[in-house]
Amino acid sequence: MRVVMVGTGYVGLVSGACFADFGHDVVCVDKDLFKIETLNSGSIPIYEPGLRELVAKNVEANRLTFTADLIEAMKGADAVFIGVGTPSRRGDGHADLTYVYGAAEEIGENLAKSNSKFTVVVTKSTVPVGTGDEVEAIITKHVEASRFAVASNPEFLREGAAIIDFKRPDRVVVGTEDEKAQDVIRALYRPLFINETPILFTSRRTSELIKYAGNAFLATKITFINEMADLCEAVGANVQEVARGIGLDKRIGPKFLHAGPGYGGSCFPKDTLALSRTAAENNAPLTIVDAVIAANNQRKSNMADKIIKTLDGDVCGKKIAFLGLSFKPNTDDMRDAPSLTIIPRLQKAGATIQAYDPQAMKEAEKLLSDITYKAEVYDCVKGADALVILTEWDEFRALDLGRIKKLLKTPIMVDLRNIYRPEIMKEQGFIYTNIGRPV
Ligand code: NAD
């Protein structure tokens, strides 16, 4: 199959490389010339474990190419995926569909120019219900309806585990009632049938909603356990044990029950907001999702308060070391990371910040100011009045605590990911704060 991926970001690049690895011919297209040049020179513009090797292998096998030229890329394509960004629109929180509609317009124009065969246009971007209808209307302005079909195929991969998620998904959701389109998409995902991956065919609108409903549910689960952690702190219970106690119930399940500083990232914050807007517009308010959004926003600033409280209520003139800046480990993605709320609040209260992240410092530099970046953990901790663990990168899980204690001016650790055990920290002589566990 010949596949075009429009948008070569976290989703487009991973999906393109994985489809190529399935044996398809893939062309990844992006408007960002720097990204295309970077890829064509053998580098990868983002950090995602295993991606460099996967891309190199498929480029070498001539199954994966990169270009900014959509016309050329679309020649003979069986499927054109739209994998462009759908950020929050400034002001109202709706999904900004400028890039999706822009891509649809270009795809329509190029379909009209070529006399190619039937092409399936597949929206992989996360888009509000009804976007597929609009994409179809845009393309219909350029070519007759028999030449193409528009399907929805939301992506569920997680950054940091994107390749395995793409190749071993829990399910593939495909929204189209067009049989020819179903056949093309079935053929694209055929390698997954060996693992008996369920492929769920639905209407386009249902498929679009499945993606948002899934993310909203997961965001709710996280927020639930985060609030439970606050209650644990108030009553002297242990949130990790509560999570285990409820997670062993198969109706609940153990995943997404790790209390922390609030969810961030490129999906949950914007997708919960966009879903809430869609619901409000359709007079079917999602009050639970609204409460989740509000609680999560509040939580991030509460984390700054927690740090200030641990430092006796005053961080003015204090130096605070941060380990981890990205919204989760194994990614350099800084979009809506809790660090973007917590650090500026501490700076406003007079603290100076030094930080280390294994991959995200380059991205962080664009979004946070007045931070002293350090090249490694122990240099970051040196001379600080407190250490905050904000992202649970593996390399922070086995720190030399004796060395950390010596390097810190005062032995204060705020562990916002609960990666250390309170009793051990106490034994080691730390003033230790965490999320929802008695110290
Ligand atoms: P991204 O910002 O990393 O990448 C989007 C890319 O699209 C950019 O490189 C941009 O230059 C390019 N682009 C925009 N308009 C274009 C056009 N007309 N032609 C060619 N390229 C164009 O975004 P992402 O994180 O990959 O997310 C893409 C979509 O997938 C979003 O809707 C997101 O919600 C969804 N999604 C993301 C994840 C994730 O973990 N990042 C997971 C599941 C779904």
Side-chain angles (χ1 to χ4, degrees):
M1 295 248 124
R2 282 186 56 79
V3 178
V4 176
M5 196 59 66
V6 182
T8 307
Y10 286 86
V11 161
L13 183 55
V14 170
S15 309
C18 289
F19 275 136
D21 212 44
F22 288 168
H24 304 302
D25 273 330
V26 180
V27 187
C28 285
V29 181
D30 207 287
K31 272 192 156 0
D32 183 338
L33 291 178
F34 178 72
K35 234 174 221 184
I36 295 300
E37 277 163 21
T38 305
L39 286 159
N40 279 330
S41 70
S43 299
I44 304 286
I46 54 168
Y47 174 74
E48 178 61 43
L51 190 56
R52 177 182 301 278
E53 297 77 4
L54 191 75
V55 166
K57 173 184 161 201
N58 285 284
V59 166
E60 197 163 315
N62 284 326
R63 287 192 296 260
L64 181 61
T65 54
F66 305 102
T67 180
D69 182 353
L70 183 60
I71 306 187
E72 196 52 37
M74 274 180 57
K75 282 185 183 150
D78 297 286
V80 180
F81 281 82
I82 300 178
V84 300
T86 48
S88 279
R89 195 160 70 190
R90 255 172 222 271
D92 63 6
H94 263 295
D96 181 349
L97 297 172
T98 316
Y99 302 110
V100 172
Y101 294 153
E105 201 70 62
E106 289 169 44
I107 291 167
E109 282 164 16
N110 289 326
L111 277 177
K113 279 182 207 152
S114 69
N115 44 14
S116 66
K117 50 188 174 178
F118 176 79
T119 306
V120 189
V121 178
V122 194
T123 312
K124 209 169 230 331
S125 300
T126 303
V127 292
V129 174
T131 304
D133 303 354
E134 187 57 30
V135 168
E136 188 176 88
I138 291 171
I139 300 176
T140 310
K141 284 191 309 190
H142 301 279
V143 284
E144 60 200 65
S146 62
R147 290 267 314 278
F148 75 97
V150 175
S152 155
N153 170 222
E155 184 48 60
F156 300 100
L157 63 77
R158 294 161 303 166
E159 286 172 16
I163 295 171
I164 192 78
D165 282 353
F166 192 92
K167 289 187 162 187
R168 300 256 185 285
D170 293 336
R171 79 305 203 186
V172 173
V173 174
V174 180
T176 177
E177 276 141 7
D178 184 299
E179 284 178 15
K180 276 198 283 181
Q182 289 184 356
D183 288 345
V184 169
I185 296 175
R186 209 179 270 115
L188 283 173
Y189 282 106
R190 183 149 297 134
L192 298 184
F193 299 163
I194 306 164
N195 315 322
E196 297 182 355
T197 302
I199 179 158
L200 186 66
F201 286 99
T202 69
S203 76
R204 202 162 56 199
R205 285 182 165 241
T206 301
S207 166
E208 289 167 338
L209 192 54
I210 286 172
K211 174 66 192 174
Y212 280 103
N215 274 358
F217 191 85
L218 294 172
T220 303
K221 217 173 163 188
I222 296 173
T223 307
F224 176 85
I225 203 67
N226 283 343
E227 287 203 325
M228 209 45 75
D230 289 346
L231 181 59
C232 284
E233 283 174 21
V235 300
N238 182 323
V239 74
Q240 262 174 351
E241 288 166 12
V242 170
R244 189 163 154 73
I246 62 172
L248 284 168
D249 183 329
K250 289 192 181 65
R251 294 169 301 177
I252 296 173
K255 303 245 172 89
F256 280 74
L257 287 180
H258 300 287
Y263 62 77
S266 63
C267 293
F268 290 175
K270 78 172 176 64
D271 292 348
T272 44
L273 210 51
L275 179 63
S276 160
R277 293 295 176 268
T278 300
E281 266 177 11
N282 286 281
N283 292 321
L286 294 172
T287 53
I288 294 176
V289 177
D290 291 340
V292 164
I293 296 167
N296 192 65
N297 287 340
Q298 184 58 46
R299 183 159 192 87
K300 294 181 189 171
S301 17
N302 290 353
M303 291 301 109
D305 293 339
K306 191 181 186 81
I307 296 165
I308 295 171
K309 196 169 155 213
T310 312
L311 280 135
D312 292 331
D314 185 11
V315 292
C316 193
K318 299 269 170 71
K319 197 187 279 177
I320 303 177
F322 273 81
L323 294 185
L325 295 167
S326 55
F327 81 98
K328 66 171 178 183
N330 297 322
T331 182
D332 59 349
D333 202 337
M334 283 291 297
R335 288 177 280 187
D336 273 314
S339 59
L340 299 179
T341 305
I342 298 171
I343 289 179
R345 278 223 38 213
L346 294 174
Q347 288 172 322
K348 211 166 159 215
T352 56
I353 307 293
Q354 47 197 44
Y356 166 70
D357 185 288
Q359 294 292 341
M361 292 194 288
K362 213 166 112 202
E363 281 307 302
E365 265 176 8
K366 299 177 195 163
L367 301 165
L368 289 162
S369 44
D370 299 324
I371 293 188
T372 309
Y373 292 99
K374 299 289 183 179
E376 56 93 32
V377 171
Y378 297 99
D379 197 25
C380 178
V381 171
K382 199 167 159 189
D385 294 280
L387 162 63
V388 179
I389 297 183
L390 191 46
T391 317
E392 67 279 34
W393 285 91
D394 275 349
E395 69 173 90
F396 304 153
R397 288 178 184 275
L399 298 174
D400 179 343
L401 292 174
R403 191 168 162 205
I404 296 279
K405 195 172 161 219
K406 270 192 210 133
L407 288 169
L408 281 168
K409 214 189 279 171
T410 35
I412 298 175
M413 186 196 281
V414 182
D415 179 1
L416 297 181
R417 298 290 180 174
N418 286 351
I419 61 180
Y420 285 95
R421 303 233 311 265
E423 55 284 9
I424 291 182
M425 297 309 289
K426 209 169 169 182
E427 242 171 62
Q428 295 267 347
F430 277 88
I431 299 163
Y432 177 75
T433 319
N434 65 86
I435 304 280
R437 298 175 307 170
V439 284

PDB file of all heavy atoms in Angstrom, residues 153-172:
ATOM      1  N   ASN A 153      -9.605   7.638  12.073  1.00  0.00           N
ATOM      2  CA  ASN A 153      -8.824   6.546  12.675  1.00  0.00           C
ATOM      3  C   ASN A 153      -7.982   7.159  13.796  1.00  0.00           C
ATOM      4  O   ASN A 153      -6.809   7.419  13.642  1.00  0.00           O
ATOM      5  CB  ASN A 153      -7.933   5.893  11.601  1.00  0.00           C
ATOM      6  CG  ASN A 153      -6.917   4.916  12.153  1.00  0.00           C
ATOM      7  OD1 ASN A 153      -5.768   4.894  11.723  1.00  0.00           O
ATOM      8  ND2 ASN A 153      -7.307   4.113  13.113  1.00  0.00           N
ATOM      9  N   PRO A 154      -8.640   7.439  14.929  1.00  0.00           N
ATOM     10  CA  PRO A 154      -7.915   8.123  16.004  1.00  0.00           C
ATOM     11  C   PRO A 154      -6.717   7.329  16.486  1.00  0.00           C
ATOM     12  O   PRO A 154      -6.703   6.101  16.417  1.00  0.00           O
ATOM     13  CB  PRO A 154      -8.964   8.261  17.113  1.00  0.00           C
ATOM     14  CG  PRO A 154     -10.035   7.276  16.795  1.00  0.00           C
ATOM     15  CD  PRO A 154     -10.014   7.081  15.312  1.00  0.00           C
ATOM     16  N   GLU A 155      -5.736   8.062  16.969  1.00  0.00           N
ATOM     17  CA  GLU A 155      -4.503   7.422  17.432  1.00  0.00           C
ATOM     18  C   GLU A 155      -4.480   7.389  18.955  1.00  0.00           C
ATOM     19  O   GLU A 155      -4.792   8.365  19.599  1.00  0.00           O
ATOM     20  CB  GLU A 155      -3.296   8.200  16.877  1.00  0.00           C
ATOM     21  CG  GLU A 155      -1.974   7.592  17.207  1.00  0.00           C
ATOM     22  CD  GLU A 155      -1.934   6.087  16.921  1.00  0.00           C
ATOM     23  OE1 GLU A 155      -2.129   5.681  15.774  1.00  0.00           O
ATOM     24  OE2 GLU A 155      -1.723   5.311  17.881  1.00  0.00           O
ATOM     25  N   PHE A 156      -4.102   6.248  19.507  1.00  0.00           N
ATOM     26  CA  PHE A 156      -4.099   6.094  20.966  1.00  0.00           C
ATOM     27  C   PHE A 156      -2.696   5.944  21.552  1.00  0.00           C
ATOM     28  O   PHE A 156      -2.560   5.623  22.724  1.00  0.00           O
ATOM     29  CB  PHE A 156      -4.962   4.886  21.366  1.00  0.00           C
ATOM     30  CG  PHE A 156      -6.400   5.015  20.942  1.00  0.00           C
ATOM     31  CD1 PHE A 156      -6.884   4.381  19.809  1.00  0.00           C
ATOM     32  CD2 PHE A 156      -7.272   5.809  21.681  1.00  0.00           C
ATOM     33  CE1 PHE A 156      -8.209   4.519  19.420  1.00  0.00           C
ATOM     34  CE2 PHE A 156      -8.603   5.952  21.308  1.00  0.00           C
ATOM     35  CZ  PHE A 156      -9.069   5.312  20.174  1.00  0.00           C
ATOM     36  N   LEU A 157      -1.672   6.120  20.726  1.00  0.00           N
ATOM     37  CA  LEU A 157      -0.310   5.895  21.243  1.00  0.00           C
ATOM     38  C   LEU A 157       0.023   6.859  22.374  1.00  0.00           C
ATOM     39  O   LEU A 157      -0.509   7.964  22.453  1.00  0.00           O
ATOM     40  CB  LEU A 157       0.724   6.004  20.117  1.00  0.00           C
ATOM     41  CG  LEU A 157       0.928   7.335  19.366  1.00  0.00           C
ATOM     42  CD1 LEU A 157       1.718   8.340  20.165  1.00  0.00           C
ATOM     43  CD2 LEU A 157       1.629   7.062  18.054  1.00  0.00           C
ATOM     44  N   ARG A 158       0.901   6.409  23.258  1.00  0.00           N
ATOM     45  CA  ARG A 158       1.402   7.264  24.340  1.00  0.00           C
ATOM     46  C   ARG A 158       2.833   7.657  24.017  1.00  0.00           C
ATOM     47  O   ARG A 158       3.643   6.796  23.663  1.00  0.00           O
ATOM     48  CB  ARG A 158       1.456   6.490  25.675  1.00  0.00           C
ATOM     49  CG  ARG A 158       0.133   6.080  26.247  1.00  0.00           C
ATOM     50  CD  ARG A 158       0.338   4.969  27.260  1.00  0.00           C
ATOM     51  NE  ARG A 158       1.019   3.826  26.656  1.00  0.00           N
ATOM     52  CZ  ARG A 158       1.567   2.819  27.337  1.00  0.00           C
ATOM     53  NH1 ARG A 158       1.556   2.822  28.653  1.00  0.00           N
ATOM     54  NH2 ARG A 158       2.146   1.807  26.717  1.00  0.00           N
ATOM     55  N   GLU A 159       3.148   8.927  24.150  1.00  0.00           N
ATOM     56  CA  GLU A 159       4.541   9.328  23.981  1.00  0.00           C
ATOM     57  C   GLU A 159       5.379   8.573  24.995  1.00  0.00           C
ATOM     58  O   GLU A 159       4.934   8.314  26.112  1.00  0.00           O
ATOM     59  CB  GLU A 159       4.692  10.833  24.192  1.00  0.00           C
ATOM     60  CG  GLU A 159       4.151  11.609  23.014  1.00  0.00           C
ATOM     61  CD  GLU A 159       4.104  13.109  23.246  1.00  0.00           C
ATOM     62  OE1 GLU A 159       4.749  13.597  24.184  1.00  0.00           O
ATOM     63  OE2 GLU A 159       3.400  13.784  22.481  1.00  0.00           O
ATOM     64  N   GLY A 160       6.574   8.201  24.607  1.00  0.00           N
ATOM     65  CA  GLY A 160       7.450   7.449  25.505  1.00  0.00           C
ATOM     66  C   GLY A 160       7.324   5.947  25.295  1.00  0.00           C
ATOM     67  O   GLY A 160       8.226   5.198  25.633  1.00  0.00           O
ATOM     68  N   ALA A 161       6.173   5.518  24.773  1.00  0.00           N
ATOM     69  CA  ALA A 161       5.978   4.089  24.463  1.00  0.00           C
ATOM     70  C   ALA A 161       5.254   3.998  23.123  1.00  0.00           C
ATOM     71  O   ALA A 161       4.474   3.092  22.867  1.00  0.00           O
ATOM     72  CB  ALA A 161       5.157   3.414  25.558  1.00  0.00           C
ATOM     73  N   ALA A 162       5.526   4.986  22.268  1.00  0.00           N
ATOM     74  CA  ALA A 162       4.707   5.183  21.069  1.00  0.00           C
ATOM     75  C   ALA A 162       4.818   4.029  20.076  1.00  0.00           C
ATOM     76  O   ALA A 162       3.816   3.617  19.487  1.00  0.00           O
ATOM     77  CB  ALA A 162       5.102   6.500  20.401  1.00  0.00           C
ATOM     78  N   ILE A 163       6.015   3.494  19.914  1.00  0.00           N
ATOM     79  CA  ILE A 163       6.191   2.455  18.891  1.00  0.00           C
ATOM     80  C   ILE A 163       5.472   1.181  19.303  1.00  0.00           C
ATOM     81  O   ILE A 163       4.705   0.598  18.520  1.00  0.00           O
ATOM     82  CB  ILE A 163       7.690   2.206  18.633  1.00  0.00           C
ATOM     83  CG1 ILE A 163       8.291   3.483  18.018  1.00  0.00           C
ATOM     84  CG2 ILE A 163       7.911   1.008  17.703  1.00  0.00           C
ATOM     85  CD1 ILE A 163       9.786   3.472  17.914  1.00  0.00           C
ATOM     86  N   ILE A 164       5.671   0.782  20.522  1.00  0.00           N
ATOM     87  CA  ILE A 164       5.014  -0.438  20.996  1.00  0.00           C
ATOM     88  C   ILE A 164       3.493  -0.237  21.000  1.00  0.00           C
ATOM     89  O   ILE A 164       2.728  -1.134  20.639  1.00  0.00           O
ATOM     90  CB  ILE A 164       5.579  -0.894  22.380  1.00  0.00           C
ATOM     91  CG1 ILE A 164       5.117  -2.300  22.725  1.00  0.00           C
ATOM     92  CG2 ILE A 164       5.272   0.040  23.493  1.00  0.00           C
ATOM     93  CD1 ILE A 164       5.889  -3.348  22.009  1.00  0.00           C
ATOM     94  N   ASP A 165       3.053   0.949  21.367  1.00  0.00           N
ATOM     95  CA  ASP A 165       1.603   1.214  21.365  1.00  0.00           C
ATOM     96  C   ASP A 165       1.029   1.135  19.952  1.00  0.00           C
ATOM     97  O   ASP A 165      -0.079   0.661  19.748  1.00  0.00           O
ATOM     98  CB  ASP A 165       1.301   2.605  21.943  1.00  0.00           C
ATOM     99  CG  ASP A 165       1.375   2.618  23.456  1.00  0.00           C
ATOM    100  OD1 ASP A 165       1.533   1.540  24.058  1.00  0.00           O
ATOM    101  OD2 ASP A 165       1.282   3.715  24.043  1.00  0.00           O
ATOM    102  N   PHE A 166       1.801   1.631  18.981  1.00  0.00           N
ATOM    103  CA  PHE A 166       1.297   1.588  17.608  1.00  0.00           C
ATOM    104  C   PHE A 166       1.279   0.163  17.070  1.00  0.00           C
ATOM    105  O   PHE A 166       0.362  -0.247  16.373  1.00  0.00           O
ATOM    106  CB  PHE A 166       2.134   2.483  16.676  1.00  0.00           C
ATOM    107  CG  PHE A 166       1.472   2.694  15.337  1.00  0.00           C
ATOM    108  CD1 PHE A 166       0.644   3.787  15.120  1.00  0.00           C
ATOM    109  CD2 PHE A 166       1.646   1.770  14.301  1.00  0.00           C
ATOM    110  CE1 PHE A 166      -0.007   3.965  13.897  1.00  0.00           C
ATOM    111  CE2 PHE A 166       1.004   1.939  13.075  1.00  0.00           C
ATOM    112  CZ  PHE A 166       0.184   3.039  12.868  1.00  0.00           C
ATOM    113  N   LYS A 167       2.313  -0.589  17.447  1.00  0.00           N
ATOM    114  CA  LYS A 167       2.427  -1.942  16.879  1.00  0.00           C
ATOM    115  C   LYS A 167       1.657  -2.992  17.653  1.00  0.00           C
ATOM    116  O   LYS A 167       1.378  -4.070  17.130  1.00  0.00           O
ATOM    117  CB  LYS A 167       3.908  -2.344  16.827  1.00  0.00           C
ATOM    118  CG  LYS A 167       4.664  -1.561  15.770  1.00  0.00           C
ATOM    119  CD  LYS A 167       6.044  -2.141  15.663  1.00  0.00           C
ATOM    120  CE  LYS A 167       6.705  -1.738  14.372  1.00  0.00           C
ATOM    121  NZ  LYS A 167       7.965  -2.435  14.211  1.00  0.00           N
ATOM    122  N   ARG A 168       1.348  -2.694  18.906  1.00  0.00           N
ATOM    123  CA  ARG A 168       0.580  -3.636  19.736  1.00  0.00           C
ATOM    124  C   ARG A 168      -0.558  -2.887  20.416  1.00  0.00           C
ATOM    125  O   ARG A 168      -0.630  -2.850  21.650  1.00  0.00           O
ATOM    126  CB  ARG A 168       1.464  -4.243  20.829  1.00  0.00           C
ATOM    127  CG  ARG A 168       2.659  -5.013  20.352  1.00  0.00           C
ATOM    128  CD  ARG A 168       2.435  -6.521  20.459  1.00  0.00           C
ATOM    129  NE  ARG A 168       3.627  -7.256  20.114  1.00  0.00           N
ATOM    130  CZ  ARG A 168       4.081  -7.414  18.871  1.00  0.00           C
ATOM    131  NH1 ARG A 168       3.451  -6.866  17.846  1.00  0.00           N
ATOM    132  NH2 ARG A 168       5.170  -8.124  18.631  1.00  0.00           N
ATOM    133  N   PRO A 169      -1.441  -2.294  19.642  1.00  0.00           N
ATOM    134  CA  PRO A 169      -2.491  -1.492  20.284  1.00  0.00           C
ATOM    135  C   PRO A 169      -3.548  -2.379  20.940  1.00  0.00           C
ATOM    136  O   PRO A 169      -3.694  -3.553  20.575  1.00  0.00           O
ATOM    137  CB  PRO A 169      -3.104  -0.724  19.108  1.00  0.00           C
ATOM    138  CG  PRO A 169      -2.878  -1.596  17.925  1.00  0.00           C
ATOM    139  CD  PRO A 169      -1.591  -2.347  18.184  1.00  0.00           C
ATOM    140  N   ASP A 170      -4.249  -1.822  21.925  1.00  0.00           N
ATOM    141  CA  ASP A 170      -5.367  -2.571  22.527  1.00  0.00           C
ATOM    142  C   ASP A 170      -6.467  -2.772  21.490  1.00  0.00           C
ATOM    143  O   ASP A 170      -7.180  -3.747  21.505  1.00  0.00           O
ATOM    144  CB  ASP A 170      -5.939  -1.801  23.724  1.00  0.00           C
ATOM    145  CG  ASP A 170      -4.942  -1.741  24.871  1.00  0.00           C
ATOM    146  OD1 ASP A 170      -4.060  -2.621  24.930  1.00  0.00           O
ATOM    147  OD2 ASP A 170      -5.035  -0.813  25.698  1.00  0.00           O
ATOM    148  N   ARG A 171      -6.605  -1.781  20.627  1.00  0.00           N
ATOM    149  CA  ARG A 171      -7.608  -1.849  19.561  1.00  0.00           C
ATOM    150  C   ARG A 171      -7.287  -0.801  18.499  1.00  0.00           C
ATOM    151  O   ARG A 171      -6.559   0.163  18.770  1.00  0.00           O
ATOM    152  CB  ARG A 171      -9.027  -1.638  20.097  1.00  0.00           C
ATOM    153  CG  ARG A 171      -9.479  -0.214  20.396  1.00  0.00           C
ATOM    154  CD  ARG A 171      -8.600   0.556  21.322  1.00  0.00           C
ATOM    155  NE  ARG A 171      -9.253   1.644  22.012  1.00  0.00           N
ATOM    156  CZ  ARG A 171      -8.589   2.494  22.779  1.00  0.00           C
ATOM    157  NH1 ARG A 171      -7.270   2.407  22.918  1.00  0.00           N
ATOM    158  NH2 ARG A 171      -9.212   3.458  23.391  1.00  0.00           N
ATOM    159  N   VAL A 172      -7.865  -1.019  17.303  1.00  0.00           N
ATOM    160  CA  VAL A 172      -7.798   0.002  16.260  1.00  0.00           C
ATOM    161  C   VAL A 172      -9.242   0.424  16.008  1.00  0.00           C
ATOM    162  O   VAL A 172     -10.113  -0.422  15.840  1.00  0.00           O
ATOM    163  CB  VAL A 172      -7.173  -0.574  14.968  1.00  0.00           C
ATOM    164  CG1 VAL A 172      -7.266   0.439  13.821  1.00  0.00           C
ATOM    165  CG2 VAL A 172      -5.713  -0.962  15.218  1.00  0.00           C
TER     166      VAL A 172
END
